Coordinates of all heavy atoms in Angstrom, one line a residue:
E15 N 6.5 -18.1 -5.5 CA 5.2 -17.6 -5.5 C 4.1 -18.7 -5.4 O 2.9 -18.4 -5.6 CB 5.0 -16.7 -6.7 CG 5.8 -15.4 -6.7 CD 5.3 -14.4 -5.7 OE1 4.1 -14.4 -5.4 OE2 6.2 -13.7 -5.1
M16 N 4.5 -19.9 -5.2 CA 3.5 -21.0 -5.2 C 2.7 -20.9 -3.9 O 3.2 -20.3 -2.9 CB 4.2 -22.3 -5.3 CG 4.9 -22.5 -6.6 SD 5.8 -24.1 -6.7 CE 4.5 -25.3 -6.4
D17 N 1.6 -21.5 -3.9 CA 0.7 -21.5 -2.7 C 1.0 -22.8 -1.9 O 0.5 -23.8 -2.2 CB -0.7 -21.5 -3.1 CG -1.7 -21.4 -1.9 OD1 -1.2 -21.0 -0.8 OD2 -2.8 -21.8 -2.1
Y18 N 1.9 -22.6 -0.9 CA 2.2 -23.7 0.0 C 1.2 -23.7 1.2 O 1.0 -22.6 1.8 CB 3.6 -23.6 0.6 CG 4.6 -24.1 -0.3 CD1 5.5 -23.2 -1.0 CD2 4.8 -25.5 -0.5 CE1 6.4 -23.7 -1.8 CE2 5.8 -25.9 -1.4 CZ 6.6 -25.0 -2.0 OH 7.6 -25.5 -2.9
P19 N 0.5 -24.8 1.5 CA -0.4 -24.8 2.7 C 0.3 -24.4 4.0 O -0.3 -23.9 4.9 CB -0.9 -26.2 2.7 CG -0.6 -26.8 1.4 CD 0.6 -26.1 0.9
A20 N 1.6 -24.7 4.1 CA 2.3 -24.4 5.4 C 2.7 -23.0 5.5 O 3.2 -22.6 6.6 CB 3.5 -25.3 5.5
G21 N 2.7 -22.2 4.5 CA 3.1 -20.8 4.6 C 4.0 -20.4 3.4 O 4.2 -21.1 2.5
T22 N 4.5 -19.2 3.6 CA 5.4 -18.6 2.6 C 6.7 -18.2 3.3 O 6.7 -17.6 4.3 CB 4.8 -17.3 1.9 OG1 3.5 -17.7 1.3 CG2 5.6 -16.8 0.8
W23 N 7.9 -18.5 2.7 CA 9.1 -18.2 3.3 C 9.8 -17.1 2.6 O 9.8 -16.9 1.4 CB 10.1 -19.4 3.1 CG 9.7 -20.5 4.1 CD1 10.2 -20.8 5.3 CD2 8.7 -21.5 3.9 NE1 9.6 -21.9 5.9 CE2 8.7 -22.4 5.0 CE3 7.8 -21.8 2.8 CZ2 7.8 -23.5 5.2 CZ3 7.0 -22.9 3.0 CH2 7.0 -23.7 4.1
I24 N 10.6 -16.3 3.4 CA 11.4 -15.2 2.9 C 12.9 -15.7 3.2 O 13.2 -16.1 4.3 CB 11.2 -13.9 3.6 CG1 9.8 -13.3 3.1 CG2 12.2 -12.8 3.1 CD1 8.7 -13.8 4.0
Q25 N 13.7 -15.6 2.2 CA 15.1 -16.1 2.3 C 16.1 -15.0 2.0 O 15.8 -14.1 1.2 CB 15.3 -17.3 1.5 CG 14.5 -18.5 1.9 CD 14.8 -19.7 1.1 OE1 14.5 -19.7 -0.1 NE2 15.2 -20.8 1.7
G26 N 17.2 -15.1 2.6 CA 18.3 -14.2 2.4 C 19.3 -14.7 1.3 O 19.0 -15.8 0.8
P27 N 20.4 -14.0 1.1 CA 21.3 -14.5 0.1 C 22.1 -15.7 0.6 O 22.1 -16.0 1.8 CB 22.3 -13.3 0.0 CG 22.2 -12.6 1.3 CD 20.8 -12.8 1.8
P28 N 22.6 -16.5 -0.3 CA 23.4 -17.7 0.0 C 24.5 -17.4 1.0 O 25.2 -16.4 0.9 CB 23.9 -18.2 -1.3 CG 23.1 -17.5 -2.3 CD 22.7 -16.2 -1.8
D29 N 24.8 -18.3 1.9 CA 25.9 -18.2 2.8 C 27.1 -18.7 2.1 O 27.1 -19.1 0.9 CB 25.7 -18.8 4.2 CG 25.4 -20.3 4.1 OD1 25.7 -20.9 3.0 OD2 24.9 -20.9 5.0
A30 N 28.2 -18.9 2.8 CA 29.5 -19.4 2.2 C 29.4 -20.8 1.7 O 30.1 -21.2 0.8 CB 30.6 -19.3 3.3
D31 N 28.4 -21.6 2.2 CA 28.2 -22.9 1.7 C 27.2 -23.0 0.6 O 26.8 -24.1 0.2 CB 27.8 -23.8 2.9 CG 28.9 -24.0 4.0 OD1 30.1 -24.0 3.6 OD2 28.5 -24.0 5.2
G32 N 26.6 -21.9 0.2 CA 25.6 -21.9 -0.8 C 24.2 -22.1 -0.4 O 23.3 -22.1 -1.2
W33 N 24.0 -22.1 0.9 CA 22.6 -22.3 1.5 C 21.9 -21.0 1.6 O 22.5 -20.0 2.2 CB 22.6 -23.0 2.8 CG 23.1 -24.4 2.7 CD1 24.3 -24.9 2.8 CD2 22.2 -25.5 2.5 NE1 24.4 -26.3 2.7 CE2 23.1 -26.7 2.5 CE3 20.9 -25.7 2.3 CZ2 22.6 -28.0 2.3 CZ3 20.4 -27.0 2.1 CH2 21.2 -28.1 2.1
E34 N 20.7 -20.9 1.2 CA 19.9 -19.7 1.4 C 19.2 -19.9 2.7 O 18.4 -20.8 2.9 CB 18.9 -19.5 0.3 CG 19.5 -19.1 -1.0 CD 18.5 -18.8 -2.1 OE1 17.3 -19.3 -2.0 OE2 18.9 -18.1 -3.1
R35 N 19.5 -19.0 3.7 CA 18.9 -19.1 5.0 C 17.6 -18.4 5.1 O 17.3 -17.4 4.5 CB 19.8 -18.5 6.0 CG 21.2 -19.1 6.0 CD 21.2 -20.5 6.5 NE 22.5 -21.1 6.5 CZ 22.8 -22.3 6.7 NH1 21.8 -23.2 6.9 NH2 24.0 -22.7 6.7
E36 N 16.7 -19.0 5.9 CA 15.3 -18.4 6.0 C 15.4 -17.2 6.9 O 16.1 -17.2 7.9 CB 14.4 -19.4 6.7 CG 14.0 -20.6 5.8 CD 13.0 -21.5 6.5 OE1 12.5 -21.2 7.7 OE2 12.7 -22.5 6.0
I37 N 14.8 -16.1 6.4 CA 14.6 -14.9 7.2 C 13.4 -15.0 8.1 O 13.4 -14.8 9.3 CB 14.5 -13.7 6.3 CG1 15.7 -13.5 5.4 CG2 14.2 -12.4 7.1 CD1 17.0 -13.3 6.1
C38 N 12.3 -15.4 7.5 CA 11.1 -15.7 8.3 C 10.1 -16.4 7.4 O 10.3 -16.7 6.2 CB 10.5 -14.3 8.7 SG 9.8 -13.3 7.4
K39 N 9.0 -16.8 8.1 CA 7.9 -17.5 7.4 C 6.6 -16.8 7.7 O 6.3 -16.4 8.9 CB 7.8 -19.0 7.9 CG 6.7 -19.7 7.4 CD 6.6 -21.1 8.1 CE 5.3 -21.7 7.8 NZ 5.0 -22.9 8.7
I40 N 5.8 -16.6 6.7 CA 4.4 -16.1 6.9 C 3.5 -17.3 7.0 O 3.4 -18.1 6.1 CB 4.0 -15.2 5.7 CG1 5.1 -14.2 5.3 CG2 2.6 -14.6 5.9 CD1 4.9 -12.9 5.9
G41 N 2.8 -17.4 8.1 CA 2.0 -18.6 8.4 C 0.8 -18.7 7.5 O 0.4 -17.8 6.8
C42 N 0.2 -19.9 7.6 CA -0.9 -20.2 6.7 C -2.2 -19.6 7.2 O -3.3 -19.9 6.6 CB -1.0 -21.7 6.6 SG -1.2 -22.6 8.2
A43 N -2.3 -18.9 8.3 CA -3.5 -18.3 8.8 C -4.1 -17.2 7.9 O -5.2 -16.9 7.9 CB -3.4 -17.8 10.2
Y44 N -3.2 -16.7 7.0 CA -3.6 -15.6 6.1 C -4.0 -16.2 4.7 O -3.6 -17.3 4.4 CB -2.4 -14.7 5.9 CG -2.0 -14.0 7.1 CD1 -0.9 -14.4 7.8 CD2 -2.7 -12.9 7.6 CE1 -0.5 -13.7 9.0 CE2 -2.3 -12.2 8.8 CZ -1.2 -12.7 9.4 OH -0.8 -12.0 10.6
T45 N -4.8 -15.4 4.0 CA -5.1 -15.9 2.6 C -3.8 -15.9 1.8 O -2.8 -15.2 2.1 CB -6.1 -14.9 2.0 OG1 -5.5 -13.7 1.8 CG2 -7.4 -14.8 2.8
T46 N -3.8 -16.6 0.7 CA -2.7 -16.6 -0.2 C -2.3 -15.2 -0.7 O -1.1 -14.9 -0.7 CB -3.0 -17.5 -1.4 OG1 -3.3 -18.8 -0.9 CG2 -1.8 -17.6 -2.4
E47 N -3.3 -14.4 -1.0 CA -3.0 -13.1 -1.5 C -2.3 -12.2 -0.4 O -1.3 -11.6 -0.7 CB -4.2 -12.4 -2.0 CG -4.0 -11.0 -2.5 CD -5.3 -10.3 -3.0 OE1 -6.3 -10.9 -3.0 OE2 -5.2 -9.1 -3.3
I48 N -2.8 -12.3 0.8 CA -2.2 -11.5 1.9 C -0.8 -12.0 2.2 O 0.1 -11.3 2.4 CB -3.1 -11.5 3.1 CG1 -4.4 -10.7 2.9 CG2 -2.4 -11.0 4.3 CD1 -5.4 -10.8 4.0
R49 N -0.6 -13.3 2.2 CA 0.7 -13.9 2.5 C 1.7 -13.5 1.5 O 2.8 -13.1 1.9 CB 0.6 -15.5 2.5 CG 0.6 -16.1 3.8 CD 0.9 -17.6 3.8 NE 0.9 -18.3 2.6 CZ -0.1 -19.2 2.3 NH1 -1.1 -19.4 3.0 NH2 0.0 -19.8 1.1
K50 N 1.4 -13.5 0.2 CA 2.3 -13.2 -0.8 C 2.6 -11.7 -0.8 O 3.8 -11.3 -0.9 CB 1.7 -13.5 -2.2 CG 1.8 -15.0 -2.4 CD 1.2 -15.3 -3.8 CE 1.2 -16.8 -4.1 NZ 0.6 -17.1 -5.4
T51 N 1.6 -10.8 -0.5 CA 1.9 -9.4 -0.4 C 2.8 -9.1 0.8 O 3.7 -8.3 0.7 CB 0.5 -8.6 -0.3 OG1 -0.3 -9.0 -1.4 CG2 0.7 -7.2 -0.2
N52 N 2.5 -9.7 2.0 CA 3.3 -9.5 3.1 C 4.7 -10.0 2.9 O 5.7 -9.3 3.3 CB 2.7 -10.2 4.4 CG 1.5 -9.6 4.9 OD1 1.2 -8.4 4.6 ND2 0.7 -10.3 5.7
A53 N 4.8 -11.1 2.2 CA 6.2 -11.7 1.9 C 7.0 -10.7 1.1 O 8.2 -10.5 1.3 CB 6.0 -13.1 1.3
R54 N 6.4 -10.2 0.0 CA 7.1 -9.2 -0.8 C 7.5 -8.0 -0.1 O 8.6 -7.5 -0.3 CB 6.2 -8.9 -2.0 CG 6.2 -10.0 -3.1 CD 5.5 -9.5 -4.4 NE 4.1 -9.2 -4.2 CZ 3.1 -10.1 -4.4 NH1 3.4 -11.4 -4.6 NH2 1.9 -9.8 -4.2
L55 N 6.7 -7.5 0.8 CA 7.0 -6.3 1.6 C 8.2 -6.6 2.6 O 9.2 -5.9 2.6 CB 5.8 -5.9 2.5 CG 6.1 -4.7 3.4 CD1 6.5 -3.5 2.7 CD2 4.8 -4.4 4.2
I56 N 8.2 -7.8 3.2 CA 9.3 -8.2 4.1 C 10.5 -8.4 3.3 O 11.6 -7.9 3.7 CB 8.9 -9.4 4.9 CG1 7.7 -9.1 5.9 CG2 10.1 -10.0 5.6 CD1 7.1 -10.4 6.5
A57 N 10.4 -9.0 2.2 CA 11.6 -9.3 1.4 C 12.3 -8.0 0.9 O 13.5 -7.9 0.7 CB 11.3 -10.2 0.2
A58 N 11.5 -6.9 0.8 CA 12.0 -5.6 0.3 C 12.6 -4.8 1.5 O 13.2 -3.7 1.2 CB 10.9 -4.8 -0.3
A59 N 12.5 -5.3 2.7 CA 13.0 -4.5 3.9 C 14.4 -4.0 3.7 O 14.7 -2.8 4.0 CB 12.8 -5.3 5.1
P60 N 15.4 -4.8 3.3 CA 16.8 -4.2 3.3 C 16.9 -3.1 2.3 O 17.5 -2.1 2.5 CB 17.6 -5.4 2.8 CG 16.9 -6.6 3.2 CD 15.4 -6.2 3.1
E61 N 16.2 -3.2 1.1 CA 16.3 -2.1 0.1 C 15.5 -0.9 0.6 O 15.9 0.2 0.4 CB 15.7 -2.6 -1.2 CG 16.6 -3.6 -1.9 CD 16.3 -5.1 -1.5 OE1 15.5 -5.3 -0.6 OE2 16.9 -6.0 -2.2
L62 N 14.4 -1.1 1.3 CA 13.6 0.0 1.8 C 14.4 0.7 2.9 O 14.4 2.0 2.9 CB 12.3 -0.5 2.4 CG 11.2 -1.0 1.4 CD1 10.1 -1.7 2.1 CD2 10.7 0.2 0.6
A63 N 15.1 0.0 3.8 CA 15.9 0.6 4.8 C 17.0 1.4 4.2 O 17.3 2.5 4.6 CB 16.4 -0.5 5.7
E64 N 17.7 0.9 3.2 CA 18.8 1.6 2.5 C 18.3 2.9 1.9 O 18.9 3.9 2.0 CB 19.4 0.7 1.4 CG 20.5 1.3 0.6 CD 21.8 1.6 1.4 OE1 22.0 0.9 2.4 OE2 22.6 2.4 0.9
A65 N 17.1 2.8 1.2 CA 16.6 4.0 0.5 C 16.2 5.0 1.6 O 16.5 6.2 1.4 CB 15.4 3.6 -0.3
L66 N 15.6 4.6 2.7 CA 15.2 5.6 3.7 C 16.5 6.2 4.3 O 16.5 7.4 4.6 CB 14.4 4.9 4.8 CG 13.8 5.7 5.9 CD1 13.0 6.9 5.3 CD2 13.0 4.8 6.8
W67 N 17.5 5.4 4.6 CA 18.7 5.9 5.1 C 19.3 7.0 4.2 O 19.8 8.0 4.7 CB 19.7 4.7 5.3 CG 21.0 5.1 6.0 CD1 21.2 5.3 7.3 CD2 22.2 5.3 5.3 NE1 22.5 5.6 7.5 CE2 23.2 5.6 6.3 CE3 22.7 5.2 4.0 CZ2 24.5 5.8 6.0 CZ3 24.0 5.4 3.7 CH2 24.9 5.7 4.7

Side-chain angles (χ1 to χ4, degrees):
E15 292 290 328
M16 294 175 61
D17 183 22
Y18 280 106
T22 302
W23 286 263
I24 292 85
Q25 293 182 298
D29 63 15
D31 296 324
W33 291 91
E34 291 184 339
R35 303 295 181 187
E36 287 182 8
I37 301 297
C38 69
K39 174 186 166 193
I40 310 264
C42 58
Y44 297 101
T45 66
T46 300
E47 181 181 352
I48 290 172
R49 256 195 349 252
K50 288 180 180 180
T51 303
N52 288 345
R54 285 190 292 271
L55 177 62
I56 293 166
E61 290 88 351
L62 290 168
E64 175 72 20
L66 184 57
W67 185 78

